C-alpha cells in the first residue's frame, strides 16, 4: 500500500521557558508531531534542530531522557501517594515539596503528613479527575526533566479544574524554566499560553501568540467572538 503523508511542509519553533499549544481537529497530525518531538519517529525528509544542531540518532536517548510525559488518562500502579509521585526516582524531600506545591496537590492533601499513608484505590478512584491529573503532574515535576509533554490533559476536566490545571503548568514553567508542550483540540486555551501551533490536515496553518493568530485565521478568531 502507498504510504500516506501525515505531515507535509511542517515548520515551527519552540523556545525555552515557554508554554506551547499544538492545537487542531482530530486527524490533523498532532500525535505524529508528538512522536517526532519525543523521537519515537523520525521524519522522512527535513530535520529536527535542537539549538540549531540537527537531531541525530546518537542524541535520541539523550532527548528522551529529558522528556516527561503526562497522558490523557493518568495510570496509577502504586497504592499510595508517595510511591506514585516518586515513581522509580530517588527520594528528594525538597523536590517532593516543590512538586506538591507546583502541581496544586497541596490544595487537597495535607503535605505535612506521611504521604505513604495517603492511599490510592485502584486507579486512584478515591480522587476526582482534576485531583488525579494534579497528582500525576506532581509525578512529572518530580522527574525533574526539562521538557514536559501533555497529551489532551484537560479533556475530562470542567472549566474551573481546567483553568487551575493550566495555571499550575504555567507556574511550573516559571519556577523551573521548562518547556511545556500541550496537545489539545481545545483552542480556547490559546489565550493562556505563550505560543500556538495551529494544525489542519497535516499543515501548520499559523504559529504565534493568540492575538497574532486571531488576526490571521478567520475561523480561529470567530471562536472568540
Amino acid at each position: 500500500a502507498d504510504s500516506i503523508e501525515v505531515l507535509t511542509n511542517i515548520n515551527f519553533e519552540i523556545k525555552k521557558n515557554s508554554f506551547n499549544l499544538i492545537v487542531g481537529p482530530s486527524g490533523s497530525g498532532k500525535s505524529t508531531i508528538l512522536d517526532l518531538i519525543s523521537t519515537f519517529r523520525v521524519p522522512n525528509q527535513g530535520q529536527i534542530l535542537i539549538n540549531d544542531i540537527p537531531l541525530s540518532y546518537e542524541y535520541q536517548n539523550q532527548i528522551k531522557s529529558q522528556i516527561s510525559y503526562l497522558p490523557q488518562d493518568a495510570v496509577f500502579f502504586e497504592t499510595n501517594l508517595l510511591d506514585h509521585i516518586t515513581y522509580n526516582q530517588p527520594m528528594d524531600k525538597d523536590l517532593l515539596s516543590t512538586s506538591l506545591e507546583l502541581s496544586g496537590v497541596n490544595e487537597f492533601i495535607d503535605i505535612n503528613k506521611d504521604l505513604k499513608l495517603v492511599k490510592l484505590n485502584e486507579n486512584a478512584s478515591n480522587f476526582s479527575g482534576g485531583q488525579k491529573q494534579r497528582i500525576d503532574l506532581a509525578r512529572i515535576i518530580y522527574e525533574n526533566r526539562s521538557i514536559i509533554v501533555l497529551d489532551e490533559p484537560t479533556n475530562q476536566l470542567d472549566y474551573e479544574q481546567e483553568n487551575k490545571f493550566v495555571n499550575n503548568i504555567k507556574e511550573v514553567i516559571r519556577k523551573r524554566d521548562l518547556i511545556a508542550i500541550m496537545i489539545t483540540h481545545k483552542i480556547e486555551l490559546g489565550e493562556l499560553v505563550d505560543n500556538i501551533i495551529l494544525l489542519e490536515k497535516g499543515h501548520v496553518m499559523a504559529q504565534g501568540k493568540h492575538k497574532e493568530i486571531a488576526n490571521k485565521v478567520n475561523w480561529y478568531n470567530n471562536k472568540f467572538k
Side-chain angles (χ1 to χ4, degrees):
D2 291 337
S3 61
I4 297 167
E5 284 193 335
V6 180
L7 302 170
T8 49
N9 297 325
I10 289 284
N11 188 20
F12 63 86
E13 187 177 72
I14 287 174
K15 294 182 175 168
K16 65 180 182 179
N17 305 354
S18 65
F19 193 171
N20 304 269
L21 213 61
I22 298 180
V23 63
S26 186
S28 57
K30 300 190 298 293
S31 298
T32 305
I33 283 185
L34 192 61
D35 286 347
L36 289 168
I37 291 168
S38 307
T39 75
F40 292 126
R41 293 194 196 188
V42 290
N44 300 348
Q45 294 178 320
Q47 292 178 314
I48 298 170
L49 301 177
I50 297 168
N51 295 336
D52 294 329
I53 299 165
L55 175 62
S56 61
Y57 181 74
E58 306 95 87
Y59 289 127
Q60 276 184 303
N61 285 337
Q62 218 175 325
I63 296 302
K64 278 180 191 161
S65 72
Q66 285 304 312
I67 296 175
S68 283
Y69 177 68
L70 187 81
Q72 186 171 332
D73 298 309
V75 178
F76 292 82
F77 301 112
E78 303 299 330
T79 58
N80 69 76
L81 188 68
L82 183 70
D83 288 352
H84 179 78
I85 293 172
T86 61
Y87 188 69
N88 284 342
Q89 305 287 325
M91 186 62 200
D92 180 329
K93 284 187 175 175
D94 289 341
L95 184 55
L96 178 63
S97 177
T98 299
S99 303
L100 293 164
E101 285 175 25
L102 292 183
S103 62
V105 169
N106 63 344
E107 291 177 22
F108 56 91
I109 296 285
D110 177 2
I111 61 173
N112 296 311
K113 68 180 181 183
D114 184 354
L115 299 183
K116 262 194 178 291
L117 299 176
V118 180
K119 296 301 175 194
L120 300 176
N121 292 355
E122 189 175 345
N123 211 24
S125 59
N126 49 325
F127 289 95
S128 71
Q131 289 172 338
K132 283 161 71 165
Q133 281 294 60
R134 287 196 273 171
I135 290 169
D136 213 34
L137 179 59
R139 174 187 63 80
I140 68 169
I141 297 169
Y142 192 83
E143 284 182 343
N144 206 18
R145 296 175 181 175
S146 49
I147 301 166
I148 58 175
V149 173
L150 308 113
D151 189 1
E152 301 270 11
T154 65
N155 260 11
Q156 301 183 30
L157 306 185
D158 63 30
Y159 177 75
E160 192 180 336
Q161 288 175 328
E162 182 172 72
N163 266 5
K164 267 188 177 174
F165 184 79
V166 168
N167 284 327
N168 287 138
I169 302 288
K170 290 169 92 163
E171 189 72 356
V172 174
I173 295 163
R174 194 170 69 80
K175 290 270 178 72
R176 302 200 71 82
D177 293 339
L178 302 177
I179 291 172
I181 301 165
M182 186 191 286
I183 308 288
T184 186
H185 64 276
K186 293 186 169 187
I187 66 168
E188 60 271 23
L189 297 177
E191 291 180 287
L192 305 173
V193 303
D194 302 312
N195 182 43
I196 303 159
I197 296 153
L198 196 61
L199 284 184
E200 191 171 49
K201 294 177 183 169
H203 296 278
V204 174
M205 285 187 68
Q207 176 182 0
K209 290 188 180 296
H210 167 71
K211 281 184 178 170
E212 294 165 354
I213 292 186
N215 288 336
K216 287 181 202 162
V217 182
N218 280 339
W219 68 259
Y220 180 91
N221 189 31
N222 290 337
K223 288 274 186 184
F224 293 92
K225 286 186 176 172

